[in-house]
C-alpha cells in the first residue's frame, strides 16, 4: 500500500513563496506517476503539476512559470515549489500517485484526477492579498 503524507502548507502574502512536501512510503518514485492537485472551496479538484517516471513534467496553465514540481528519490519525497503566489492559489493541496507511467494523450501528460489511485490527506495553502 502506498502512503502519502503532505506537509508545508501555511499562510503567505500575495507575491510570496511556499514549498509543500509529500513523503511517500517505500521507494515508489521510480515506478510511479506523481502529481499535485488542489481544491478550493466550492470548486472541483484540479491537477496542478505532474511528473512522470522519466522526469517529464506537466503544469496547469495557471501555474506555469510560477510552480515547479520535483522529487528527491533518496528521501522518497515529492515537492511543489510555489513562487509569486496569488490569492487564487488558495486551496487544499493534495499529493497523488499512480503505478506506472503517467497517462498521456497525443503525447502530452494529462492531469486527470481519475488517473491517480493513491492520495494524501491534503495541506492547506492560504494566500492573502
Amino acid at each position: 500500500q502506498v502512503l502519502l503524507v503532505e506537509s508545508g502548507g501555511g499562510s503567505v502574502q500575495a507575491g510570496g513563496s511556499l514549498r509543500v512536501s509529500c513523503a511517500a512510503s517505500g521507494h515508489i518514485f521510480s515506478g510511479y506517476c506523481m502529481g499535485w492537485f488542489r481544491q478550493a472551496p466550492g470548486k472541483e479538484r484540479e491537477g496542478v503539476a505532474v511528473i512522470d517516471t522519466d522526469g517529464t513534467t506537466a503544469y496547469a496553465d495557471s501555474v506555469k512559470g510560477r510552480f515547479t514540481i520535483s522529487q528527491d528519490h533518496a528521501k522518497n519525497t515529492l515537492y511543489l515549489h510555489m513562487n509569486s503566489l496569488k490569492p487564487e492559489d488558495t486551496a487544499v493541496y493534495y499529493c497523488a500517485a499512480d503505478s506506472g507511467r503517467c497517462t498521456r494523450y497525443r503525447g502530452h501528460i494529462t492531469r486527470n484526477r481519475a488517473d491517480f489511485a493513491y492520495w494524501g490527506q491534503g495541506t492547506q495553502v492560504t494566500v492573502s492579498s
Side-chain angles (χ1 to χ4, degrees):
Q1 184 172 349
V2 175
L3 295 178
L4 305 172
V5 180
E6 299 96 335
S7 61
S11 298
V12 64
Q13 289 191 327
S17 299
L18 204 61
R19 186 185 75 174
V20 290
S21 303
C22 171
S25 63
H27 299 275
I28 69 170
F29 286 160
S30 61
Y32 280 69
C33 174
M34 304 293 297
W36 285 100
F37 288 70
R38 67 185 181 187
Q39 188 166 17
K43 293 188 176 181
E44 294 290 321
R45 190 172 299 187
E46 64 169 342
V48 174
V50 174
I51 185 165
D52 206 343
T53 56
D54 63 356
T56 305
T57 58
Y59 295 91
D61 288 342
S62 59
V63 306
K64 280 182 181 177
R66 299 189 299 121
F67 290 12
T68 302
I69 187 171
S70 66
Q71 54 192 31
D72 185 328
H73 290 261
K75 296 182 178 180
N76 295 325
T77 302
L78 182 75
Y79 300 102
L80 184 66
H81 307 260
M82 301 180 288
N83 298 318
S84 303
L85 282 161
K86 304 175 181 180
E88 51 263 44
D89 294 319
T90 295
V92 177
Y93 283 71
Y94 297 90
C95 174
D98 199 67
S99 178
R101 297 201 63 183
C102 296
T103 300
R104 292 179 183 246
Y105 176 71
R106 294 185 176 181
H108 297 284
I109 297 174
T110 62
R111 293 173 284 105
N112 296 326
R113 175 181 181 179
D115 292 332
F116 291 81
Y118 305 101
W119 293 86
Q121 83 289 349
T123 185
Q124 176 71 46
V125 171
T126 302
V127 185
S128 58
S129 58

